[in-house]
Amino acid sequence: MSQHILTAFDRDLESVQASVVKMGGMVEAQILDSALALETRDEELAEAVRQRDKAIDELEERINVDAARLIALRAPAASDLRVALTVIKIAGNLERVGDHAKNTAKRAKVVMATPAINGSTGAIRRMAQAVETMLKDAIDSYIQRDAALAADVRARDVEVDQMYNALFREFLTYMLEDPRNITACMHLHFIAKNIERMGDHATAIAEQVIYLVTGQLPEESRPKTESVSDFNAAEG
């Protein structure tokens, strides 16, 4: 009977973790597609990103229900309980990344109606690619239980902050040079800030992996580059 219960728990836990990995793949695609829609001015792709967010929200809800049921019915030991709780936290961070990708797509549709700002969308796409790679590596570190890879993801958040700050300065310059650029640059700034926040959530996932593997969250403060912007630009 004990072996039967253990097998059932492992099967249920594996199913929940597979859902998290699936959710990670969906969110990674959202990051890249939202940036691509902006760069190519593809309204259909931007709308597709917005529509797909509902499926991500529904998957997070299912993961939370399944993980909560797992905890309630299987009464896992400390190490397994840590896995179940980590699943819930990772799913929550993935859902927030999905929200930021949806907001990026919404802003992209507005930007498409404004004059192009030279080189800006390509820079935003490169920033999005950096964040997508962080997120992919964070999920891989979870699958592999690799605390070193998770720590590397955490360290890379500084690079994303630096890219965001460089974009902010660039947008500010364009706005000062020509007031007609203000509308486009403001929306582009909101997009860049949303992508920077995606990096924060990827970093939070990496920190949960470190907690899962070691039993402790990182003691040192997360490396951060001070923002040059005072705007609270990321949307909920």
Side-chain angles (χ1 to χ4, degrees):
M1 177 63 72
S2 176
Q3 182 61 40
H4 174 74
I5 293 173
L6 178 62
T7 301
F9 174 82
D10 290 342
R11 183 176 62 248
D12 291 347
L13 183 59
E14 186 174 309
S15 175
V16 175
Q17 292 186 106
S19 294
V20 170
V21 174
K22 177 182 177 181
M23 188 178 179
M26 293 167 67
V27 172
E28 288 169 28
Q30 291 284 84
I31 295 172
L32 295 180
D33 283 351
S34 62
L36 180 62
L38 172 68
E39 185 175 32
T40 60
R41 294 185 168 240
D42 187 334
E43 289 194 31
E44 289 186 7
L45 182 57
E47 183 58 28
V49 170
R50 291 183 61 189
Q51 294 298 324
R52 293 198 304 247
D53 185 62
K54 183 178 180 181
I56 292 172
D57 292 344
E58 290 173 350
L59 185 53
E60 186 217 7
E61 184 175 348
R62 188 162 74 246
I63 288 169
N64 288 341
V65 169
D66 290 346
R69 182 184 297 116
L70 184 67
I71 293 169
L73 296 181
R74 305 298 184 192
S79 59
D80 290 328
L81 177 61
R82 194 158 70 229
V83 175
L85 293 175
T86 299
V87 160
I88 293 172
K89 289 184 176 293
I90 290 176
N93 278 288
L94 287 173
E95 190 275 335
R96 292 300 296 145
V97 175
D99 282 347
H100 289 307
K102 177 188 69 176
N103 290 332
T104 294
K106 287 166 60 177
R107 292 275 179 181
K109 293 183 74 172
V110 178
V111 171
M112 292 173 199
T114 65
I117 302 298
N118 186 40
S120 60
T121 56
I124 286 175
R125 178 179 53 79
R126 288 188 291 275
M127 184 179 173
Q129 288 173 332
V131 169
E132 186 270 342
T133 301
M134 283 177 63
L135 183 62
K136 180 181 181 300
D137 287 346
I139 297 298
D140 284 348
S141 74
Y142 170 70
I143 295 169
Q144 299 162 15
R145 302 296 193 262
D146 189 338
L149 178 57
D152 180 65
V153 170
R154 189 171 183 263
R156 273 184 264 160
D157 191 47
V158 172
E159 299 173 12
V160 174
D161 292 342
Q162 291 171 343
M163 294 171 80
Y164 164 72
N165 285 338
L167 278 168
F168 176 78
R169 292 188 182 96
E170 183 177 328
F171 296 146
L172 188 59
T173 299
Y174 276 116
M175 288 189 286
L176 292 173
E177 288 178 347
D178 189 342
R180 290 173 295 183
N181 292 328
I182 290 176
T183 298
C185 286
M186 287 296 295
H187 286 294
L188 288 167
H189 170 254
F190 277 105
I191 288 171
K193 188 61 180 177
N194 272 288
I195 295 171
E196 187 269 334
R197 290 289 174 85
M198 294 181 201
D200 288 343
H201 287 290
T203 303
I205 291 172
E207 290 176 342
Q208 284 302 314
V209 173
I210 293 171
Y211 166 72
L212 176 61
V213 175
T214 68
Q216 293 183 326
L217 287 168
E219 293 183 1
E220 69 276 11
S221 298
R222 181 188 302 183
K224 233 20 205 170
T225 298
E226 187 173 347
S227 173
V228 296
S229 168
D230 290 327
F231 291 118
N232 184 17
E235 299 138 300

